[in-house]
Short mmCIF file of all heavy atoms in Angstrom, two decimals:
data_model
loop_
_atom_site.label_atom_id
_atom_site.label_comp_id
_atom_site.label_asym_id
_atom_site.label_seq_id
_atom_site.Cartn_x
_atom_site.Cartn_y
_atom_site.Cartn_z
N VAL T 10 -27.83 -37.83 4.76
CA VAL T 10 -29.10 -38.14 4.15
C VAL T 10 -30.28 -37.67 5.05
O VAL T 10 -30.22 -38.02 6.25
CB VAL T 10 -29.21 -39.64 3.86
CG1 VAL T 10 -30.64 -39.94 3.32
CG2 VAL T 10 -28.17 -40.08 2.76
N GLN T 11 -31.21 -37.02 4.48
CA GLN T 11 -32.46 -36.65 5.19
C GLN T 11 -33.68 -37.11 4.29
O GLN T 11 -33.62 -36.96 3.09
CB GLN T 11 -32.61 -35.19 5.46
CG GLN T 11 -31.55 -34.64 6.44
CD GLN T 11 -30.37 -34.01 5.70
OE1 GLN T 11 -30.54 -33.37 4.67
NE2 GLN T 11 -29.17 -34.22 6.24
N VAL T 12 -34.72 -37.64 4.94
CA VAL T 12 -35.94 -37.97 4.22
C VAL T 12 -37.13 -37.40 4.98
O VAL T 12 -37.13 -37.25 6.21
CB VAL T 12 -36.11 -39.48 4.04
CG1 VAL T 12 -34.95 -40.12 3.29
CG2 VAL T 12 -36.34 -40.18 5.39
N VAL T 13 -38.16 -37.08 4.25
CA VAL T 13 -39.49 -36.69 4.80
C VAL T 13 -40.49 -37.59 4.15
O VAL T 13 -40.73 -37.50 2.91
CB VAL T 13 -39.81 -35.22 4.51
CG1 VAL T 13 -41.18 -34.86 5.09
CG2 VAL T 13 -38.75 -34.29 5.06
N LEU T 14 -41.08 -38.48 4.92
CA LEU T 14 -42.01 -39.48 4.35
C LEU T 14 -43.24 -38.77 3.79
O LEU T 14 -43.80 -39.15 2.76
CB LEU T 14 -42.46 -40.51 5.37
CG LEU T 14 -41.40 -41.54 5.84
CD1 LEU T 14 -42.08 -42.55 6.74
CD2 LEU T 14 -40.69 -42.18 4.71
N ASP T 15 -43.75 -37.77 4.51
CA ASP T 15 -44.95 -37.09 4.12
C ASP T 15 -44.62 -35.86 3.31
O ASP T 15 -45.09 -34.76 3.57
CB ASP T 15 -45.79 -36.75 5.35
CG ASP T 15 -45.99 -37.94 6.23
OD1 ASP T 15 -46.64 -38.87 5.77
OD2 ASP T 15 -45.48 -37.92 7.37
N GLY T 16 -43.81 -36.04 2.24
CA GLY T 16 -43.31 -34.94 1.50
C GLY T 16 -44.08 -34.79 0.13
O GLY T 16 -45.23 -35.28 -0.03
N THR T 17 -43.43 -34.14 -0.81
CA THR T 17 -44.02 -33.93 -2.12
C THR T 17 -43.07 -34.39 -3.25
O THR T 17 -43.31 -34.07 -4.43
CB THR T 17 -44.34 -32.43 -2.32
OG1 THR T 17 -43.15 -31.68 -2.15
CG2 THR T 17 -45.41 -32.00 -1.29
N GLY T 18 -41.98 -35.14 -2.89
CA GLY T 18 -41.08 -35.57 -3.90
C GLY T 18 -40.02 -34.54 -4.27
O GLY T 18 -39.53 -34.58 -5.36
N VAL T 19 -39.63 -33.69 -3.32
CA VAL T 19 -38.57 -32.74 -3.50
C VAL T 19 -37.25 -33.41 -3.23
O VAL T 19 -37.11 -34.16 -2.24
CB VAL T 19 -38.74 -31.50 -2.57
CG1 VAL T 19 -37.61 -30.56 -2.70
CG2 VAL T 19 -40.07 -30.77 -2.92
N PHE T 20 -36.25 -33.16 -4.09
CA PHE T 20 -34.98 -33.89 -3.86
C PHE T 20 -33.79 -32.94 -4.07
O PHE T 20 -33.90 -31.92 -4.83
CB PHE T 20 -34.84 -35.04 -4.85
CG PHE T 20 -35.07 -34.72 -6.29
CD1 PHE T 20 -34.13 -34.12 -7.08
CD2 PHE T 20 -36.31 -35.00 -6.87
CE1 PHE T 20 -34.39 -33.80 -8.41
CE2 PHE T 20 -36.59 -34.67 -8.23
CZ PHE T 20 -35.61 -34.09 -8.94
N ASP T 21 -32.68 -33.25 -3.44
CA ASP T 21 -31.40 -32.57 -3.59
C ASP T 21 -30.38 -33.67 -3.44
O ASP T 21 -30.02 -34.04 -2.33
CB ASP T 21 -31.28 -31.43 -2.56
CG ASP T 21 -29.92 -30.75 -2.70
OD1 ASP T 21 -29.19 -30.98 -3.71
OD2 ASP T 21 -29.59 -29.88 -1.83
N VAL T 22 -29.88 -34.19 -4.57
CA VAL T 22 -29.05 -35.37 -4.53
C VAL T 22 -27.72 -35.12 -5.21
O VAL T 22 -27.68 -34.64 -6.38
CB VAL T 22 -29.76 -36.57 -5.21
CG1 VAL T 22 -28.89 -37.79 -5.20
CG2 VAL T 22 -31.12 -36.84 -4.55
N ALA T 23 -26.61 -35.44 -4.51
CA ALA T 23 -25.31 -35.31 -5.15
C ALA T 23 -24.42 -36.43 -4.56
O ALA T 23 -23.95 -36.27 -3.37
CB ALA T 23 -24.68 -33.98 -4.90
N THR T 24 -24.23 -37.50 -5.28
CA THR T 24 -23.42 -38.65 -4.81
C THR T 24 -22.02 -38.69 -5.47
O THR T 24 -21.25 -39.52 -5.04
CB THR T 24 -24.19 -39.94 -5.10
OG1 THR T 24 -24.23 -40.17 -6.52
CG2 THR T 24 -25.53 -39.97 -4.50
N GLY T 25 -21.87 -37.90 -6.47
CA GLY T 25 -20.65 -38.01 -7.30
C GLY T 25 -20.75 -39.00 -8.42
O GLY T 25 -19.86 -39.14 -9.21
N ILE T 26 -21.89 -39.69 -8.50
CA ILE T 26 -22.19 -40.63 -9.62
C ILE T 26 -23.47 -40.17 -10.28
O ILE T 26 -24.57 -40.31 -9.70
CB ILE T 26 -22.32 -42.09 -9.06
CG1 ILE T 26 -21.08 -42.50 -8.29
CG2 ILE T 26 -22.58 -43.06 -10.25
CD1 ILE T 26 -21.28 -43.84 -7.58
N GLY T 27 -23.36 -39.61 -11.46
CA GLY T 27 -24.47 -38.96 -12.08
C GLY T 27 -25.70 -39.88 -12.28
O GLY T 27 -26.83 -39.51 -12.05
N PHE T 28 -25.44 -41.13 -12.69
CA PHE T 28 -26.63 -42.03 -12.94
C PHE T 28 -27.28 -42.40 -11.63
O PHE T 28 -28.52 -42.52 -11.54
CB PHE T 28 -26.16 -43.27 -13.72
CG PHE T 28 -27.28 -43.95 -14.39
CD1 PHE T 28 -27.69 -43.59 -15.65
CD2 PHE T 28 -28.00 -44.93 -13.74
CE1 PHE T 28 -28.81 -44.20 -16.29
CE2 PHE T 28 -29.10 -45.55 -14.33
CZ PHE T 28 -29.49 -45.21 -15.59
N LEU T 29 -26.51 -42.58 -10.53
CA LEU T 29 -27.14 -42.83 -9.26
C LEU T 29 -27.95 -41.68 -8.83
O LEU T 29 -29.02 -41.87 -8.27
CB LEU T 29 -26.06 -43.22 -8.27
CG LEU T 29 -26.55 -43.51 -6.82
CD1 LEU T 29 -27.50 -44.70 -6.86
CD2 LEU T 29 -25.37 -43.77 -5.88
N ASP T 30 -27.46 -40.46 -9.01
CA ASP T 30 -28.26 -39.27 -8.68
C ASP T 30 -29.59 -39.31 -9.40
O ASP T 30 -30.65 -39.07 -8.79
CB ASP T 30 -27.50 -38.00 -9.14
CG ASP T 30 -26.28 -37.73 -8.35
OD1 ASP T 30 -25.99 -38.38 -7.35
OD2 ASP T 30 -25.54 -36.72 -8.74
N HIS T 31 -29.55 -39.62 -10.66
CA HIS T 31 -30.75 -39.71 -11.50
C HIS T 31 -31.79 -40.68 -10.91
O HIS T 31 -33.02 -40.43 -10.83
CB HIS T 31 -30.40 -40.03 -12.92
CG HIS T 31 -31.52 -40.11 -13.88
ND1 HIS T 31 -32.56 -39.18 -13.96
CD2 HIS T 31 -31.81 -41.03 -14.84
CE1 HIS T 31 -33.37 -39.50 -14.89
NE2 HIS T 31 -32.97 -40.64 -15.43
N MET T 32 -31.31 -41.86 -10.49
CA MET T 32 -32.20 -42.90 -10.01
C MET T 32 -32.78 -42.53 -8.59
O MET T 32 -33.94 -42.75 -8.35
CB MET T 32 -31.45 -44.22 -9.91
CG MET T 32 -31.07 -44.81 -11.23
SD MET T 32 -32.55 -45.17 -12.30
CE MET T 32 -32.46 -43.77 -13.44
N VAL T 33 -31.94 -41.97 -7.73
CA VAL T 33 -32.43 -41.54 -6.44
C VAL T 33 -33.47 -40.39 -6.56
O VAL T 33 -34.49 -40.34 -5.83
CB VAL T 33 -31.32 -41.13 -5.49
CG1 VAL T 33 -31.86 -40.61 -4.17
CG2 VAL T 33 -30.37 -42.34 -5.23
N GLU T 34 -33.22 -39.54 -7.54
CA GLU T 34 -34.21 -38.47 -7.86
C GLU T 34 -35.52 -39.08 -8.33
O GLU T 34 -36.61 -38.57 -7.95
CB GLU T 34 -33.61 -37.51 -8.92
CG GLU T 34 -32.47 -36.67 -8.35
CD GLU T 34 -31.66 -36.00 -9.47
OE1 GLU T 34 -31.95 -36.17 -10.63
OE2 GLU T 34 -30.70 -35.25 -9.12
N GLN T 35 -35.45 -40.09 -9.16
CA GLN T 35 -36.67 -40.77 -9.65
C GLN T 35 -37.40 -41.38 -8.45
O GLN T 35 -38.63 -41.31 -8.34
CB GLN T 35 -36.30 -41.87 -10.65
CG GLN T 35 -35.78 -41.29 -11.96
CD GLN T 35 -36.80 -40.58 -12.80
OE1 GLN T 35 -38.00 -40.65 -12.53
NE2 GLN T 35 -36.33 -39.81 -13.76
#
């Protein structure tokens, strides 16, 4: 996992659980 606090809301998420991906992307 990597985060950038001063970002623009760019995401690349793959947990193997589609709905969790959707929520982390939100």
Side-chain angles (χ1 to χ4, degrees):
V10 173
Q11 295 97 37
V12 301
V13 180
L14 292 188
D15 307 299
T17 58
V19 174
F20 53 79
D21 180 8
V22 179
T24 66
I26 304 171
F28 199 88
L29 180 59
D30 291 354
H31 181 45
M32 292 299 102
V33 176
E34 289 165 0
Q35 294 292 343

